[in-house]
Amino acid sequence: MSLAAPLGLSARALREAILAGSFSVLEVTEAHLAQIAKHNSELQAFQRVDAESALARARELDAALARGEGNGPLFGVPVALKANMCVQGMETNCGSRILEGYIAPYTASFVQKLLDAGAVLLGVTEMDEFAMGSSGENSAFGCPRNPWDTQLTAGGSSSGAAVAVATRMVPIALGSDTGGSVRQPAAFCGIYGLKPTYGRISRYGLVAFGSSLDQVSPFAHTAGDLELVLEVLSGLDERDSTSLPLPAFEPERPAEAQRLVGLKVGVLKHELNADVAPEVLVQCQAQLERLEAMGAELMEIELPHLSYAIPTYYVVATAEASSNLGRYDGSLFGKRIEGDGSLTGMFEATRNGAFGDEVKRRILLGTYVLSAGYAEAWYGKAQRVRTLLRRDYAAAFEAVDVLASPTAPTTAFRLGAKKEDALAMYLSDLFTVPASLAGLPALSLPAGLTSNDTGCLPVGLQLVGPALSEGRLLRLARALESSQTSALPIPPLCTEIR
Ligand code: GLN
């Protein structure tokens, strides 16, 4: 590892280098801001960059270090947030016109934890409106580009955060994952993404989409950094009633952390595998063979209700969204549009004028599945199917320790390819949605690059484990990481990091 420049180092390595005096926090911050300045206009990862306050914060941290203070686990590490996370005094617009100019009155508890750990916030990244989407195209503002091929989507909805980490604008970014919004963009951009067990990280200060599904989820370019962020952010928070009453995540002890022998990995078998692109299957298969060579045992596993996951998710998530988004009507929340001057006219004009098409579609769907006379047939049934899926997982985890599948059925698709076809877009979440419905931890790790006439594109392998098994998922991810013969590939346009 070269210490000539701080760009491209992991959060752990950066912190160590700062504490060892190799770089000041200011140098680290400036280098990452320069990387953003170099690529952001083309890639549109960041919605807003707050260079001035980042530099001021960096100087403060350098001064603290000189006084012998400040040695947090993320000391001096540049980070980025998704635009649905509250930071007091900053705009939190969720990629939506309706919240344009909305200034958060408080700081999310997980953001506060990042800051308390010594992180330097560089800015806010672009996202699909209210986290609804799989391509970044539903933002009311910019649409991020995939750094491996700028004609392609970076995935979604945490699109900008994934691009920011993939291009080393920051070593760590936070996204939110409701049905795959961190895992799928991680796969499309060639980095790591972890959706923790539901309730692991407090949602206090994360703008709600589907409250029984939403989880704050980190991106990183090493498995070790995911572990570090989970350690910092997890733990009970009284301000979120769904936060698990548990202490913070503790990484596995080294002796345990190296053990792969005898670990049973279930390879997800399903007729829908037929829809998976062959080049994706080839890359995932290669990773599974690596695990096998390191002593893991592979066996095929079926989740009998898997094919119901997408329809179930689009009932549950839209129902919750229609209820959560009810507050944006121009009275207390949401940019008011007066309309015909009556109160209902104002509600109508505000919601009609300021929500994008996909959000409106979801509100309509969600209102329908909850409406009198239909709620039992739709919402009630979806909840029961959700239980069946949970039971499928419980049965699978009697036989295996983790389940492996591709993160997404294809590599990144072309921008525009699915924009007009909602169903095709929804189906790209085939493998990520089930673990969300069951509340289970799931990790997407880089599984190499395809090489064909369409170029070199990243593939993601997803690992899902029982509740609270993040340590095990990270153990497998680390084992695969250290067994690779070369370092994690970096998008070709990042010529400065090689
Ligand atoms: N793509 C899925 C959706 O549109 C998942 C979104 C997410 O995880 N926030 O709902």
Side-chain angles (χ1 to χ4, degrees), residues 129-171:
E129 185 174 8
F130 283 103
M132 297 173 189
S134 305
S135 67
E137 292 163 298
N138 295 336
S139 170
F141 308 108
C143 177
R145 309 268 154 171
N146 192 308
W148 292 88
D149 177 344
T150 53
Q151 303 299 308
L152 307 183
T153 171
S157 63
S158 312
S159 329
V163 176
V165 172
T167 54
R168 309 320 194 241
M169 294 173 178
V170 278

Side-chain angles (χ1 to χ4, degrees), residues 40-236:
N40 202 52
S41 57
E42 185 182 8
L43 299 176
Q44 303 194 44
F46 278 82
Q47 191 183 74
R48 273 162 301 121
V49 179
D50 199 343
E52 223 168 276
S53 69
L55 294 171
R57 163 96 169 145
R59 288 192 187 94
E60 259 170 45
L61 290 175
D62 278 329
L65 194 59
R67 292 193 302 271
E69 295 161 18
N71 180 10
L74 293 173
F75 193 85
V77 174
V79 297
L81 303 175
K82 187 173 176 177
N84 57 355
M85 301 174 166
C86 293
V87 184
Q88 189 172 25
M90 277 176 48
E91 178 167 332
T92 303
N93 60 36
C94 296
S96 182
R97 290 268 171 235
I98 210 161
L99 281 177
E100 200 176 2
Y102 173 73
I103 304 297
Y106 69 96
T107 296
S109 53
F110 54 88
V111 174
Q112 193 57 51
K113 282 184 172 179
L114 278 184
L115 296 174
D116 292 346
V120 178
L121 179 57
L122 300 195
V124 172
T125 57
E126 202 54 85
M127 62 183 280
D128 281 302
E129 185 174 8
F130 283 103
M132 297 173 189
S134 305
S135 67
E137 292 163 298
N138 295 336
S139 170
F141 308 108
C143 177
R145 309 268 154 171
N146 192 308
W148 292 88
D149 177 344
T150 53
Q151 303 299 308
L152 307 183
T153 171
S157 63
S158 312
S159 329
V163 176
V165 172
T167 54
R168 309 320 194 241
M169 294 173 178
V170 278
I172 282 172
L174 296 187
S176 62
D177 191 312
T178 303
S181 277
V182 162
R183 288 163 283 159
Q184 183 252 27
F188 283 5
C189 293
I191 55 173
Y192 292 83
L194 171 67
K195 183 199 88 72
T197 307
Y198 181 75
R200 254 300 192 194
I201 299 178
S202 167
R203 293 182 293 116
Y204 180 78
L206 173 71
V207 178
F209 160 15
S211 305
S212 74
L213 301 155
D214 299 341
Q215 254 314 266
V216 172
S217 304
F219 290 101
H221 50 81
T222 68
D225 277 359
L226 286 184
E227 183 178 80
L228 180 63
V229 178
L230 186 62
E231 245 183 297
V232 169
L233 299 187
S234 54
L236 173 66

Side-chain angles (χ1 to χ4, degrees), residues 3 9 11-24 28:
L3 284 189
L9 295 185
R12 280 181 198 271
L14 269 177
R15 173 183 175 273
E16 269 166 37
I18 292 167
L19 296 184
S22 306
F23 308 117
S24 65
V28 168

Side-chain angles (χ1 to χ4, degrees), residues 128-396:
D128 281 302
E129 185 174 8
F130 283 103
M132 297 173 189
S134 305
S135 67
E137 292 163 298
N138 295 336
S139 170
F141 308 108
C143 177
R145 309 268 154 171
N146 192 308
W148 292 88
D149 177 344
T150 53
Q151 303 299 308
L152 307 183
T153 171
S157 63
S158 312
S159 329
V163 176
V165 172
T167 54
R168 309 320 194 241
M169 294 173 178
V170 278
I172 282 172
L174 296 187
S176 62
D177 191 312
T178 303
S181 277
V182 162
R183 288 163 283 159
Q184 183 252 27
F188 283 5
C189 293
I191 55 173
Y192 292 83
L194 171 67
K195 183 199 88 72
T197 307
Y198 181 75
R200 254 300 192 194
I201 299 178
S202 167
R203 293 182 293 116
Y204 180 78
L206 173 71
V207 178
F209 160 15
S211 305
S212 74
L213 301 155
D214 299 341
Q215 254 314 266
V216 172
S217 304
F219 290 101
H221 50 81
T222 68
D225 277 359
L226 286 184
E227 183 178 80
L228 180 63
V229 178
L230 186 62
E231 245 183 297
V232 169
L233 299 187
S234 54
L236 173 66
D237 176 8
E238 306 280 355
R239 290 166 297 184
D240 170 6
S241 62
T242 63
S243 157
L244 290 170
L246 291 173
F249 166 79
E250 269 185 52
E252 292 185 330
R253 284 184 298 277
E256 200 181 358
Q258 272 154 30
R259 196 186 56 84
L260 284 200
V261 178
L263 203 72
K264 296 198 179 77
V265 178
V267 181
L268 192 63
K269 183 179 147 47
H270 191 263
E271 75 266 20
L272 291 171
N273 270 349
D275 293 339
V276 180
E279 65 272 20
V280 169
L281 283 178
V282 167
Q283 293 302 125
C284 290
Q285 187 57 32
Q287 298 298 320
L288 294 174
E289 282 162 18
R290 280 215 165 86
L291 287 176
E292 202 172 23
M294 288 184 278
E297 251 175 72
L298 305 184
M299 60 175 82
E300 283 202 328
I301 286 284
E302 212 164 335
L303 297 177
H305 298 93
L306 186 66
S307 49
Y308 298 107
I310 291 283
T312 304
Y313 172 83
Y314 279 94
V315 173
V316 174
T318 57
E320 293 180 6
S322 74
S323 153
N324 277 325
L325 271 55
R327 74 193 69 170
Y328 308 111
D329 60 10
S331 55
L332 186 57
F333 294 109
K335 213 168 48 181
R336 178 190 293 245
I337 303 176
E338 291 302 343
D340 66 9
S342 70
L343 184 63
T344 48
M346 186 276 283
F347 289 161
E348 225 176 273
T350 298
R351 289 170 70 80
N352 222 353
F355 278 135
D357 287 348
E358 181 60 24
V359 172
K360 284 184 198 162
R361 183 188 347 254
R362 306 249 183 145
I363 292 173
L364 289 172
L365 267 171
T367 306
Y368 176 74
V369 301
L370 288 176
S371 59
Y374 295 100
E376 189 42 36
W378 291 99
Y379 185 69
K381 193 182 248 174
Q383 290 293 18
R384 287 195 294 279
V385 178
R386 192 174 184 182
T387 303
L388 294 177
L389 249 174
R390 281 206 178 103
R391 288 190 192 145
D392 282 356
Y393 274 111

